[in-house]
């Protein structure tokens, strides 16, 4: 197999710690990769005046594949979130977040196996806000046919390719009749192209309630940006927390893989971060590159480590450090 070159962004907070852990596991698992590694984020800004060095962006434009650890969004300095910037700049429109129960991580929900497809480039995230007067702020929500169509199609295509049975459109079209109404009607138009896949729709508030009662009833969920952000964090709670939810951000040309969680400043530097979500994101990247075998080997080693429960990080109820957890996975590869 030819060696793939990928770009790696080491972010802020726990970013560097979990990146080191993941790169070590990828190497020990025999992933056929070479890396172009860059420091990005707040610390890089303090050093060099840019959140992402130009060479880092050039590398991503060349390799087309980015493994990105979390970045702190500086508050109150007029910064747009770097994550939002990357997703829109490179049109990484499909944010795919699989939440699956793991028998080794005990939660009240042992049968979760669902995937959130979050539209990544519009909705309230376009960053159009205005101050009408000091007591009135407006934010603009943008939903277009083109962008709704491609995220819905991505969800159905994925369902078809992975033997999934149902896609549910999540919206609030009873209140946002025009914007969410458009998303919902486009969803049903796209659904007609996939007659073998069941299609239904539900209000986002009802979905939140149903998810914490019967998450096993959901399969694939597709929704606009803001609902996707919130609902996917909820799904991480169902399976044991943010440390366990991976994601990919896929466009037509480029793809970025990252954990759903942030830079966790409260535990940064303590050596106790859980690298699993980022590692599973790296497995999604290997699958994207066609290396299903290495991805499966890593997934098996993680499952065995979680099941053994001897080297779990504190967020999973253990006392192990990131390093000890990583070592346990490496021993099982
Ligand atoms: P967070 O996800 O960083 O942390 C929320 C809680 O979950 C914290 O208690 C944290 O300790 C815990 N946690 C998160 N990841 C963990 C892990 N791998 N192992 C163990 N515990 C973990 O959310 P936040 O505190 O709201 O955000 C911190 C910063 O991260 C902010 O600047 C935010 O903008 C940024 N952020 C970045 C991304 C990204 O880069 N994709 C995503 C979300 C938030």
């Amino acid at each position: 197999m030819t060696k793939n070159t990928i770009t790696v962004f080491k972010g802020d907070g726990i970013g560097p710690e979990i990146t080191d852990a993941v790169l070590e596991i990828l190497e020990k698992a025999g992933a056929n990769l070479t890396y172009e590694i860059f420091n990005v984020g707040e610390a890089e800004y303090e050093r060099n005046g840019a959140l992402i060095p130009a060479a880092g962006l050039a590398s991503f434009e060349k390799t087309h594949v980015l493994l990105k650890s979390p970045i702190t969004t500086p508050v109150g300095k007029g910064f747009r979130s770097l994550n939002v910037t990357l997703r829109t700049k490179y049109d990484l429109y499909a944010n795919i977040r699989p939440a699956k129960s793991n028998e080794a991580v005990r939660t009240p929900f042992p049968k979760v196996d669902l995937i959130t497809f979050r539209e990544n480039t519009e909705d309230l995230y376009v960053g159009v806000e205005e101050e009408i007067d000091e007591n009135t702020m407006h934010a603009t929500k943008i939903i277009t046919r083109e962008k709704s169509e491609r995220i819905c199609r991505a969800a159905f295509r994925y369902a078809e390719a992975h033997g999934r049975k149902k896609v549910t459109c999540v919206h609030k079209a009873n209140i946002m009749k025009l914007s969410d109404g458009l998303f919902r009607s486009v969803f049903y138009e796209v659904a007609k192209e996939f007659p073998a896949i069941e299609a239904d729709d539900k209000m986002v508030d009802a979905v939140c309630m149903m998810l914490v009662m019967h998450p096993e009833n959901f399969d694939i969920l597709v929704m606009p940006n803001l609902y996707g952000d919130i609902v996917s964090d909820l799904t991480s709670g169902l399976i044991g927390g943010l440390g366990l939810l991976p994601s990919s951000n896929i466009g037509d040309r480029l793809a970025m893989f990252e954990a759903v969680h942030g830079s966790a400043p409260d535990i940064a530097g303590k050596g106790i971060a859980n690298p699993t979500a980022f590692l599973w994101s790296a497995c999604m990247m290997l699958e994207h590159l066609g290396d299903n075998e290495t991805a499966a080997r890593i997934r098996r080693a993680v499952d065995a480590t979680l099941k053994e429960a001897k080297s779990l990080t504190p967020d999973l109820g253990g006392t192990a450090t990131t390093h000890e957890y990583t070592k346990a996975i490496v021993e099982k590869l």
Side-chain angles (χ1 to χ4, degrees):
M1 199 191 289
T2 52
K3 222 175 178 76
N4 285 298
T5 303
I6 65 154
T7 305
V8 179
F9 284 179
K10 271 191 178 187
D12 298 303
I14 60 170
E17 305 162 39
I18 60 174
T19 306
D20 290 344
V22 166
L23 293 184
E24 183 183 340
I25 293 166
L26 285 173
E27 195 205 315
K28 299 279 167 51
N32 205 11
L33 297 170
T34 52
Y35 307 99
E36 296 186 1
I37 303 175
F38 300 87
N39 292 317
V40 303
E42 206 170 34
E44 180 62 15
Y45 181 80
E46 306 295 336
R47 272 193 302 269
N48 295 321
L51 288 165
I52 304 179
L57 294 177
S59 168
F60 182 29
E61 286 161 25
K62 184 187 69 185
T63 64
H64 292 187
V65 178
L66 172 62
L67 184 62
K68 182 195 139 294
S69 82
I71 297 172
T72 300
T73 302
V75 178
K77 292 187 192 168
F79 286 111
R80 188 162 186 223
S81 155
L82 256 193
N83 303 305
V84 177
T85 304
L86 282 168
R87 290 167 191 162
T88 43
K89 181 175 170 65
Y90 294 113
D91 205 21
L92 308 172
Y93 61 85
N95 191 328
I96 307 170
R97 299 180 162 186
K100 193 167 190 304
S101 303
N102 189 300
E103 58 172 327
V105 181
R106 221 173 298 146
T107 71
F109 309 104
K111 287 190 275 182
V112 179
D113 184 6
L114 57 87
I115 304 173
T116 305
F117 274 69
R118 166 186 175 189
E119 201 289 324
N120 233 359
T121 62
E122 56 177 8
D123 194 2
L124 279 158
Y125 285 67
V126 290
V128 182
E129 292 191 282
E130 62 175 331
E131 181 176 332
I132 304 303
D133 61 49
E134 62 180 312
N135 298 313
T136 314
M137 310 296 162
H138 285 186
T140 304
K141 171 173 167 118
I142 295 182
I143 300 285
T144 62
R145 165 174 291 279
E146 180 204 348
K147 293 184 176 171
S148 304
E149 209 173 284
R150 64 182 184 175
I151 187 68
C152 291
R153 194 168 285 119
F156 279 102
R157 279 199 180 131
Y158 184 98
E160 198 172 55
H162 293 83
R164 295 277 180 161
K165 303 273 177 291
K166 183 170 77 173
V167 181
T168 302
C169 170
V170 180
H171 61 85
K172 191 75 184 166
N174 58 332
I175 304 297
M176 275 148 290
K177 294 181 194 302
L178 295 181
S179 51
D180 281 16
L182 176 64
F183 190 88
R184 181 179 173 277
S185 58
V186 167
F187 167 82
Y188 280 113
E189 284 169 30
V190 172
K192 287 194 195 126
E193 298 166 22
F194 302 88
I197 312 285
E198 188 187 338
D200 70 354
D201 75 281
K202 291 193 165 46
M203 255 30 122
V204 62
D205 43 347
V207 165
C208 291
M209 183 271 290
M210 291 172 198
L211 274 172
V212 294
M213 293 187 75
H214 293 291
E216 68 279 5
N217 290 346
F218 290 93
D219 193 343
I220 288 182
L221 302 111
V222 63
M223 63 199 83
N225 209 335
L226 179 62
Y227 308 144
D229 190 2
I230 298 166
V231 170
S232 61
D233 264 32
L234 190 161
T235 67
S236 82
L238 299 175
I239 59 164
L242 273 172
L244 297 173
L245 194 66
S247 81
S248 59
N249 297 264
I250 309 277
D252 287 333
R253 280 186 335 111
L254 282 72
M256 173 171 86
F257 300 83
E258 60 177 346
V260 167
H261 61 72
S263 55
D266 53 337
I267 57 165
K270 295 187 180 161
I272 55 166
N274 181 356
T276 310
F278 195 39
L279 183 59
W280 278 336
S281 308
C283 289
M284 292 174 85
M285 177 190 76
L286 289 171
E287 285 152 2
H288 174 80
L289 292 168
D291 189 358
N292 293 341
E293 210 177 291
T294 309
R297 192 174 319 129
I298 294 174
R299 287 182 193 280
R300 280 195 299 273
V302 174
D303 283 349
T305 306
L306 291 174
K307 195 165 182 186
E308 184 183 64
K310 279 193 202 146
S311 313
L312 301 182
T313 45
D315 58 306
L316 296 180
T319 54
T321 61
T322 311
H323 179 67
E324 287 161 347
Y325 177 66
T326 304
K327 196 162 157 255
I329 293 173
V330 167
E331 280 164 6
K332 288 173 189 60
L333 280 169

